[in-house]
Amino acid sequence: ELISFLFKLLHQLLTTQERVSRTNNNISPLCKAPGCPSIDVEDSVHALIKCPGNNGAGQAVFECIKSYTASMSEEQAVRLEYDVDSELEFAVTWVLGNAFLKIWEMRCAGKRPELYIVRADLEAKVSLLRETRRHTNDVVQIGSILENL
């Protein structure tokens, strides 16, 4: 599920209002998320980070991850383009990818993403990752990131 989402995200294939409006002129590119004033075009950056309808969940994840990178814009975060130590690369990508996936799922379901829900989902997935015992060092790094979220 995560791989499919990341493929769509990185190839700009998410069904944002902006993308849908390019194929159907009758559809507005403006955001329709609950809680969003609908004055911004809904592209992937808006949908995952900037949208007020996300209750700050995407922005909180971005700010947390930004503290681990040299410098990163919101656009770079959505494209998973950042400069980070090699030991943190998996952890940062994992946290961003899974957080964005949860935010996107909630938006598609017509719900307003909440940070506590995104964090709880990440913590549940960390528990599953810990059970695989393949990424023990990465799980520790992810845990430290989540403590700051």
Side-chain angles (χ1 to χ4, degrees), residues 4-139:
S4 175
F5 171 76
L6 290 176
F7 180 87
K8 292 174 186 174
L9 177 64
L10 296 175
H11 290 89
Q12 299 176 355
L13 299 174
L14 291 179
T15 53
T16 61
Q17 287 297 115
E18 185 269 332
R19 183 169 185 268
V20 172
S21 72
R22 281 188 275 143
T23 58
N24 185 343
N25 293 335
N26 296 328
I27 295 178
S28 170
L30 300 179
C31 182
K32 294 182 180 179
C36 186
S38 298
I39 57 172
D40 294 317
V41 171
E42 185 196 44
D43 58 4
S44 57
V45 174
H46 176 82
L48 299 172
I49 298 176
K50 293 182 177 180
C51 184
N54 291 348
N55 293 323
Q59 192 66 42
V61 171
F62 170 72
E63 292 298 329
C64 175
I65 294 299
K66 188 177 176 183
S67 66
Y68 291 90
T69 65
S71 65
M72 176 177 59
S73 68
E74 293 163 335
E75 291 78 15
Q76 288 172 314
V78 170
R79 292 190 314 260
L80 302 178
E81 293 177 357
Y82 39 78
D83 184 22
V84 67
D85 292 337
S86 60
E87 64 194 36
L88 284 173
E89 191 172 5
F90 177 84
V92 168
T93 303
W94 189 92
V95 170
L96 274 178
N98 279 289
F100 288 162
L101 172 60
K102 186 62 179 178
I103 291 168
W104 183 254
E105 287 174 343
M106 293 184 76
R107 288 176 65 91
C108 289
K111 298 176 183 174
R112 293 185 67 178
E114 299 280 351
L115 182 58
Y116 75 91
I117 294 173
V118 172
R119 184 182 167 122
D121 183 69
L122 289 172
E123 289 173 348
K125 288 178 180 176
V126 166
S127 294
L128 289 174
L129 189 61
R130 186 175 291 124
E131 291 175 13
T132 66
R133 299 171 201 241
R134 288 186 61 205
H135 300 284
T136 52
N137 292 337
D138 297 319
V139 169

